[in-house]
Amino acid sequence: MNYTAEAPAAWDPAFAGAENCLLSSDQCVIRAQHYFVKGLIEIPVIGSDDVFSWGVWVSLRRENFSRAADLWDRPGREAEKPYFGWLTTDLTAYSTTTLNLKTHVHTRPVGERPFIELEPTDHPLAVEQRTGITLDRVREIAAAVLHSSRSEQQ
């Protein structure tokens, strides 16, 4: 019920080890100019208590990234107001690109990934977040992700 991207779309494996670049499981910096956090787009599964989630990367302004980093291990951080960001994960299960969708990053308690709220547009991902998806749609997504993973390995 969860698929995750290992890095933002802008990340290049050649950046690994560079002094001004960082890729951790939660944060990413590219050339000390581009800043990203990982969060979850959660989609209710209709007719159940389940939630499907996409682990995605969102770009933040440097100031917001610094603020989020300062609060990373601080209890009560969930009181922080949401940060604006741009989705930087291309989810190939959608026919229309998901890159650069507008988001709001909601900080959660320490140890929990941020909740990524998409701007309410007519993009299929935003619609699914608002209205939920069926279990059949979860199966479609799983098949698309599996197919995509196999294509990348060839």
Side-chain angles (χ1 to χ4, degrees), residues 146-154:
L146 182 62
H147 177 75
S148 176
S149 296
R150 286 186 178 156
S151 298
E152 290 171 7
Q153 292 172 0
Q154 295 175 357

Side-chain angles (χ1 to χ4, degrees), residues 40-42 58 82-83 85 101-106 114-120 129:
L40 298 174
I41 295 174
E42 296 176 342
V58 174
Y83 306 116
L101 292 177
K102 293 179 182 180
T103 70
H104 286 95
V105 178
H106 297 265
F115 170 69
I116 308 301
E117 176 189 16
L118 294 166
E119 183 175 86
Q129 187 178 44

Side-chain angles (χ1 to χ4, degrees), residues 22-78:
L22 159 83
L23 177 61
S24 74
S25 60
D26 299 303
Q27 300 171 334
C28 180
V29 177
I30 298 177
R31 298 190 173 140
Q33 296 175 9
H34 305 283
Y35 303 88
F36 308 88
V37 295
K38 191 171 193 177
L40 298 174
I41 295 174
E42 296 176 342
I43 303 172
V45 178
I46 297 167
S48 77
D49 293 330
D50 292 329
V51 173
F52 176 85
S53 62
W54 289 107
V56 297
W57 292 88
V58 174
S59 67
L60 296 178
R61 289 184 19 226
R62 180 180 181 165
E63 298 80 10
N64 289 342
F65 179 85
S66 294
R67 173 82 178 154
D70 288 346
L71 298 174
W72 204 256
D73 295 319
R74 188 174 299 167
R77 70 182 192 165
E78 63 273 16

